Amino acid sequence: MPVAGLPPSARAHPGTADLVVRNAKVSTGDPARPAAAGVAVRDGRILALGDDHDLAGLIGPATRVVDALGRRVVPGLNDSHLHVIRGGLNYVLELRWDGVRSLRHALAMLREQAGRTPKGQWIRVVGGWTPEQFAERRMPTVAELNAAAPDTPVFVLHLYQSALMNRAAVTAAGFTRDTPDPRGGQIVRGRDGEPTGVLLAAPGALVLYSTLARAPRLDPADRRTSTIHFLRELNRFGLTSALDAAGGFQNFPTDYGTVTDLARAGELTLRIAYYLFPQTAGQELDDLRRWTRTVRPGDGDEWLRLAGAGENLTWAAADFENFAEPRPALAADYENEFEQAVRLLMEKGWGFRLHATYDETIRRDLAVFEKLAAEGLFPAGNRWLFDHAETVRDDSLDRIAALGGSLSVQNRMSFQGRVFLDRYGAEAASRTPPVRAMLDRGLTVAAGTDATRVSSYNPWVALHWLVTGRTVGGTPLYPPAALLDRHEALDLYTRGGARLTGEEDVKGVLREGCFADLAVLSHDYFTVPDEVIPAIESVLTVVGGRIVHATEEYAGLAEATPAVSPSWSPVARFGGYAAPGDRHGAAQADAVAEAAAESERHRAWRAARTESGPAPRPEHPFDPCLTH
C-alpha cells in the first residue's frame, strides 16, 4: 500500500513525525546533503531526512506514512513572478487553452462552452497559449469564433499583442464605428468602418486589458472559490510558493481581500509574498507614501506577507513587451518622478521590483540608482530587482551587481520567442534573456512564468525552456553554452525565489528545520528526455506538512476542495492546464493527427494556386501574418 497510518490530525506521540515520505529519490537542494531516501515532517517543518532505518524511530501510531514508490521528490517550486492573486479572482471564468495541442480541439472546447454559458456571461481565453503549440500552427479567425459561439461573447487574448472578439463580444463591449481608438491601441475596422473583432496593442496592451475588464465579475463567494481552485491547480504542478507581482487592474486593498480571508482562515495552500503596484497614473507617489506609513515589507506570516513595491513604481517608467511592435519610446523626462519613488522606498527600508523588458530602460533606471548611490542609498540592504530583462547587456549586469540588485527571469520567450526572432534576428534572440551571463557574475537570479495573461502557469514549461532553449513549438533560440543544466534550472525555481524574499534559510531546500514543502513527481525530472519535462506534474504536493494535492495512487489524501462555482464554469468541465481527458489517450492523438493532416492539405492547396507554382515548405511552418 502506498499509504499507511492515521491522518496527522490524530494526536502524535512526542518526538514522532506527522508525515513520513519513504522509498523516494529525494533531491534536497542542499549541497551539504544533496540526496536522501525519505523525509519526516512534524509541525509543518522537516524533522529528519534519511533512509528507512534512519526514520523508523520517528514513526508512531498517528504517523501518516507515504510510499513514494521510487519516485523523485524535490523541494516545492517557487514561481518568482506570478500574478497569482489576480489570476485567482478570475480562474473559474476562463477557458484554458494551455497545453491544448490542436486548434480544432480548442475551438471544439469553445463551441461546447458556448452551450453551457448563461446569457450575459462571456467566454474568456486569457493567456497560456500560442499558435506554435497547435498542430495547425495558426491563430483562430474571427469567423471561426463566430461560428463556434454565434450568440455568446468570446474574448481571446493572444500574448501581449492582440485579442480576437466574436460579433457578440464586440456588441457586449459597446464597440461601434464611432468608438475612438485608445491611446497606444487600435480597434481594427473593416471597409465599412465597423469593428472587425480584432484589437491590436500598438504597442501598449491597455486596449486589451480594459476590454477584458468590461466582462462580468464574480461575486465575493465565487471569487473565494475561484482562488482556492487556482491555488490547487498550482499545487498540481508542485508549486508551494509564489511571489505575486501585482499588475494592472489589481487594486490594494480591495482585490487582496480574498487571499487575506483565506490566510486568516488557514485555507491557503500556496505561500504568497506580494508586492504593491500603484494603479493610477499621477497618483503613484501618493500611494507609495501612504503604504510606507502604514505597512512594512515582511509584515504578515509564512503564508501571506508583504514583500515590497512594484512591479511598476511609476507608469511613465514602464516599457511594453509586445515584440510584434518596435520598442516603445519612453517619456524623455520620467526620471524625476521615478527618482522620487525610489528615494522614498530606499529611505523607508522598502524593497521593490521593476518591470523592464529592454536594456535601454534598464540603463536609464540604473543611472537614477547610481545617482542615489552617491548619497549612500545603494546598496543599502533593501532587496530590489529587475523583472524580465530580455535584452539586458553585459555592462548593465555589472552595474546591477555593483548596486546590490537581483533579477527575476520568466519564460515569456517560450511563447513570444518566434515573434522576437522574426523582428530582431537570431543573434539578438540568442541571449534573451542572458541567464548564463547573469549567473556567471554571481547575481541572484530567480525563475518564474509571468502567468497568466501571456505565459502558462505550468512551471515545467519554464524549466523546459531553461534547459533546452526552445519555444513551446520547438523553435531553438539559444546556443548550448547559454543553457542551464537541470540542477541549475531547478535551483532558480526553488532557492532562487526564496533568496528574493530573504527566506532562503527556511524555503527552497529540504533540510531539518525548513518548511515541509515538497513535491513527489510523476516523472523523474533529472532523467526523462527533454521533451517530457513539460508533461511533469506532482502526484503528491505537501505544503507546511499538509497534503494539498494528491492523485494516482494517492487520490483522496488531499484536503477537500469546494465544488467549482458557478456550475457552468469552464474549469468545471475542462479543468485547467490541458485537463487529463483532453491530453491523454488514442482519441487525442488521433485528433492531433487529423488536425496536422488538415493543415498540410490546406498548405498544399494554397501552394498549388499560387502563380509561381508550389512554394517550398519553410523550416518553421509559421505564418507571420497571423502573429503580428
Side-chain angles (χ1 to χ4, degrees):
M1 293 290 290
V3 180
L6 299 175
S9 58
R11 184 176 300 277
H13 288 187
T16 60
D18 300 324
L19 171 70
V20 169
V21 179
R22 62 170 297 274
N23 189 22
K25 291 180 286 190
V26 182
S27 296
T28 67
D30 181 3
R33 185 177 189 172
V39 183
V41 175
R42 182 178 176 85
D43 296 332
R45 302 266 181 155
I46 302 294
L47 178 62
L49 296 108
D51 57 22
D52 283 355
H53 180 269
D54 299 323
L55 303 182
L58 302 175
I59 298 174
T63 303
R64 171 176 279 160
V65 180
V66 174
D67 187 338
L69 302 175
R71 289 189 173 97
R72 179 68 60 183
V73 173
V74 297
L77 303 187
N78 186 352
D79 190 317
S80 69
H81 187 122
L82 176 65
H83 298 279
V84 59
I85 296 174
R86 184 179 66 193
L89 296 177
N90 301 288
Y91 174 64
V92 300
L93 290 175
E94 295 170 355
L95 178 67
R96 305 302 308 180
W97 282 356
D98 310 44
V100 175
R101 296 172 57 200
S102 77
L103 179 59
R104 172 188 287 264
H105 185 59
L107 290 170
M109 294 168 65
L110 196 156
R111 186 177 302 109
E112 181 178 343
Q113 183 58 36
R116 305 175 67 249
T117 303
K119 185 176 178 61
Q121 290 289 344
W122 294 25
I123 300 174
R124 306 155 223 225
V125 179
V126 182
W129 69 280
T130 171
E132 273 199 276
Q133 78 193 46
F134 294 144
E136 299 91 336
R137 294 281 180 142
R138 69 173 180 86
M139 293 270 288
T141 65
V142 171
E144 286 172 322
L145 302 188
N146 285 329
D151 303 313
T152 305
V154 175
F155 179 96
V156 178
L157 180 67
H158 175 229
L159 306 179
Y160 288 113
Q161 59 197 58
S162 63
L164 301 178
M165 306 171 69
N166 69 347
R167 192 178 302 109
V170 170
T171 300
F175 292 152
T176 69
R177 64 186 304 140
D178 300 320
T179 304
D181 286 341
R183 182 179 180 182
Q186 181 183 356
I187 302 170
V188 178
R189 303 166 199 277
R191 293 181 180 178
D192 59 359
E194 296 291 340
T196 64
V198 178
L199 305 179
L200 297 179
L206 179 62
V207 64
L208 312 181
Y209 300 154
S210 61
T211 302
L212 179 60
R214 299 180 187 216
R217 298 187 66 187
L218 292 169
D219 63 34
D222 283 343
R223 287 200 293 271
R224 192 179 195 278
T225 301
S226 178
T227 298
I228 289 172
H229 278 273
F230 186 49
L231 299 185
R232 293 300 184 93
E233 174 75 353
L234 299 176
N235 298 149
R236 166 188 166 192
F237 296 101
L239 277 164
T240 59
S241 291
L243 279 66
D244 183 88
F249 298 91
Q250 184 65 21
N251 292 293
F252 180 84
T254 307
D255 291 322
Y256 292 70
T258 299
V259 292
T260 302
D261 175 56
L262 290 172
R264 188 177 293 115
E267 295 182 51
L268 288 179
T269 61
L270 189 83
R271 304 183 193 273
I272 301 173
Y274 63 92
Y275 292 78
L276 298 183
F277 182 147
Q279 294 294 310
T280 305
Q283 189 180 303
E284 299 98 324
L285 289 173
D286 290 337
D287 285 341
L288 292 172
R289 290 190 188 102
R290 183 173 65 257
W291 295 336
T292 57
R293 287 195 299 264
T294 56
V295 290
R296 289 184 58 82
D299 284 356
D301 59 24
E302 64 192 49
W303 289 96
L304 182 65
R305 61 199 296 263
L306 174 65
E311 62 182 290
N312 274 358
L313 303 183
T314 60
W315 279 98
D319 53 14
F320 301 113
E321 53 280 90
N322 179 4
F323 298 131
E325 294 281 337
R327 180 180 62 84
L330 299 183
D333 58 352
Y334 79 71
E335 282 86 351
N336 180 54
E337 185 181 34
F338 180 71
E339 178 184 332
Q340 293 181 63
V342 175
R343 180 187 297 276
L344 170 67
L345 295 171
M346 296 301 287
E347 290 177 345
K348 297 292 186 180
W350 274 54
F352 61 88
R353 65 192 306 158
L354 288 171
H355 170 108
T357 301
Y358 298 98
D359 185 68
E360 291 84 350
T361 307
I362 291 172
R363 297 171 79 84
R364 290 178 67 175
D365 293 351
L366 288 172
V368 172
F369 300 165
E370 287 163 345
K371 177 182 176 181
L372 296 176
E375 302 177 26
L377 293 179
F378 283 85
N382 301 32
R383 293 184 178 87
W384 70 272
L385 64 130
F386 280 116
D387 279 305
H388 314 312
E390 273 86 359
T391 70
V392 65
R393 288 168 38 178
D394 287 347
D395 58 336
S396 295
L397 293 177
D398 294 334
R399 294 166 70 187
I400 293 169
L403 292 167
S406 303
L407 294 123
S408 175
V409 297
Q410 298 78 42
N411 66 313
R412 303 194 302 185
M413 297 300 283
S414 291
F415 297 85
Q416 296 177 285
R418 182 75 245 178
V419 179
F420 189 99
L421 190 66
D422 289 343
R423 174 167 290 280
Y424 295 105
E427 183 176 355
S430 69
R431 47 175 288 119
T432 51
V435 181
R436 172 58 63 195
M438 298 173 185
L439 294 175
D440 287 346
R441 285 164 171 76
L443 282 158
T444 293
V445 183
T449 59
D450 199 13
T452 57
R453 288 185 171 174
V454 173
S455 299
S456 172
Y457 48 76
N458 183 346
W460 300 101
V461 174
L463 284 158
H464 174 265
W465 165 74
L466 286 169
V467 302
T468 69
R470 292 179 177 271
T471 69
V472 294
T475 301
L477 298 174
Y478 314 124
L483 303 178
L484 306 189
D485 67 40
R486 297 191 190 191
H487 289 277
E488 290 174 313
L490 185 62
D491 184 77
L492 297 194
Y493 237 103
T494 51
R495 300 175 73 189
R499 293 183 185 110
L500 294 186
T501 56
E503 297 175 280
E504 60 269 35
D505 292 338
V506 293
K507 187 187 289 188
V509 61
L510 299 178
R511 180 195 298 134
E512 286 87 348
C514 290
F515 293 153
D517 301 350
L518 59 89
V520 182
L521 303 183
S522 59
H523 303 75
D524 190 337
Y525 163 69
F526 293 109
T527 62
V528 294
D530 288 345
E531 62 270 18
V532 177
I533 294 176
I536 293 174
E537 296 185 11
S538 174
V539 296
L540 187 86
T541 305
V542 176
V543 188
R546 297 160 48 198
I547 298 176
V548 298
H549 169 76
T551 187
E552 298 190 12
E553 295 89 351
Y554 314 106
L557 291 184
E559 298 174 358
T561 304
V564 175
S565 179
S567 59
W568 53 266
S569 161
V571 173
R573 171 62 182 88
F574 301 106
Y577 185 99
D582 296 326
R583 75 170 186 276
H584 291 317
Q588 170 67 350
D590 289 344
V592 174
E594 182 182 353
E598 180 181 276
S599 180
E600 175 61 22
R601 288 194 298 271
H602 183 59
R603 186 201 64 78
W605 180 86
R606 287 187 300 164
R609 283 156 179 76
T610 60
E611 293 182 3
S612 58
R617 182 171 184 169
E619 180 182 355
H620 300 291
F622 197 81
D623 189 344
C625 294
L626 296 171
T627 59
H628 285 70

